[in-house]
Amino acid sequence: MKLKSAREIVLSRGHLQTRLQTLFSSAQNFSTKPFKFTYDNGIDPDPKFCGQLTATLTLENDELLLTTTPDSKVFRKEILYKNAPGFTCSFDKSAVYLTLSPDLEFAFLLPTPHPFITYTERA
Amino acid sequence: MNILSFIFALLLIISYGFFATWNSHLTQNRIQRTYVNHQIAHRKLLNTYNSELYGALRSKRVESENPTPRGVKATVPELNAACSRLNIYPLIQEGKSAHPLLYNLTAKLFKEFYDVEPEFLDLLLKDAALEPALEKLPIKGHRKAYYKMLKGSKTTPALLDYIKSTPTKEKICLHHAHPRLLSLLFNKESAAHLFTKLHEEKTLPTQELIEDICKGAYLSLDPKIFDLLELQKAPHEELSKILTATEDDVYLRISQPSLVTTTISSNLTPPKPSK
């Protein structure tokens, strides 16, 4: 039972990491409060949800939600993570940082030629 | 008699129960397998993406002076390049009567790649007149089939790798074309020969060279096809990069903006002008 719940936690974290990293690999136009960005959803069975979509990260009933919309008329809601007490999001030119709790932080790489780690040339 | 019917009813109930359990077990297994394959393909895709990011961090690459020596077989690209797609914009705007050759080539593409009749192309052109983004076309009654074409699979190519709709007069770049597209424009035999020539010979492809290759493959070309082809080996800017990953039956692809202004250049040098 303990193993099962540990597995569930690991899988849900893995899902969050994979899903958001896929989105951020084509993300642009970030804004905060609420955390919003646009991304390329590619091909979707619903023609309205093909191509560029706007995504918002919100917290509802302790669940981290991803809301995607092509035109603010139709929405899709997806639970990214359950039992999230809160979250903060920040970004810079090379990555997006998501903090769910002090001991649960994620970093997602952005498509940019800027280095994730800044190297300094030796004198 | 009563016992017999009782046993028969009992057997019926047991067999029904067994079938129901077996069926749900099979469905569950299938869902689980698909999910796991999906996750593995996602992981592969992210690994490719991370490699791309890492590659972009590296310093300027030193290009060798002779990248493709004579006699070395050219590698077939995984996908058709963006500069080598059939631009159906004129067809959408001016109709098939104004561009019969382009219409025939596009219809041939649909037939050969997806086994659909030209009526499907007519529906697509009708819808595309109202919606500029090809991936957003509703195509009533055929959306599911169209979705499969757009997505592509391990065996069938994604439609948008071969056609585009842009209000420009860009021609199909022969040098960066996938052999699949070449076989569509010409035929299988001449496509294989032409692909090798394009990537091995240090000469520019000319109309005469292409006609000779096609003659050798018993194909008579419509001279109007050269209005659609770009014979120059100019480098092209890549605005986005498509990454793909497969795992069993799962085929994933993502399009990411180019990390740096990359160009897919020709590895062949143009001939010096003769004196």
Side-chain angles (χ1 to χ4, degrees), chain B residues 5-21:
Chain B
S5 59
F6 174 72
I7 291 170
F8 185 70
L10 206 66
L11 277 175
L12 201 71
I13 291 165
I14 290 169
S15 60
Y16 180 75
F18 175 76
F19 176 75
T21 319

Side-chain angles (χ1 to χ4, degrees), chain B residues 12-47:
Chain B
L12 201 71
I13 291 165
I14 290 169
S15 60
Y16 180 75
F18 175 76
F19 176 75
T21 319
W22 180 248
N23 198 27
S24 84
H25 179 74
L26 272 185
T27 315
Q28 213 175 1
N29 254 4
R30 203 175 300 136
I31 292 169
Q32 193 181 354
R33 206 173 50 238
T34 313
Y35 177 76
V36 170
N37 286 339
H38 211 269
Q39 288 297 317
I40 295 170
H42 250 296
R43 191 70 256 173
K44 282 184 182 173
L45 204 61
L46 289 181
N47 288 348

Side-chain angles (χ1 to χ4, degrees), chain A residues 36-70:
Chain A
K36 251 185 191 180
F37 58 93
T38 56
Y39 75 101
D40 184 3
N41 193 37
I43 308 300
D44 193 272
D46 184 348
K48 284 178 192 161
F49 282 86
C50 288
Q52 288 289 321
L53 298 182
T54 306
T56 317
L57 279 183
T58 49
L59 194 76
E60 277 178 34
N61 305 324
D62 282 355
E63 285 173 342
L64 183 67
L65 290 182
L66 174 79
T67 312
T68 47
T69 174

Side-chain angles (χ1 to χ4, degrees), chain A residues 15 18 21-22 24-26 28 40 43-48 50-52 109-116, chain B residues 35 39 42-43 45-46 49-50 53 56-57 135-138 143 147 150-151 160 254-257 259-260:
Chain A
H15 170 71
T18 321
Q21 182 60 79
T22 311
F24 287 132
S25 61
S26 64
Q28 290 167 345
D40 184 3
I43 308 300
D44 193 272
D46 184 348
K48 284 178 192 161
C50 288
Q52 288 289 321
L109 298 178
L110 290 175
T112 165
H114 299 294
F116 186 60
Chain B
Y35 177 76
Q39 288 297 317
H42 250 296
R43 191 70 256 173
L45 204 61
L46 289 181
Y49 174 70
N50 285 337
L53 280 177
L57 293 178
E135 69 271 22
K136 293 193 176 188
L137 304 182
R143 177 64 201 179
Y147 169 70
L150 290 170
K151 262 294 203 203
L160 296 187
I254 55 165
S255 169
Q256 59 156 101
L259 302 172
V260 281

Side-chain angles (χ1 to χ4, degrees), chain B residues 240-252:
Chain B
S240 64
K241 197 167 177 66
I242 295 166
L243 306 175
T244 59
T246 51
E247 181 64 30
D248 208 4
D249 288 340
V250 177
Y251 174 77
L252 292 180

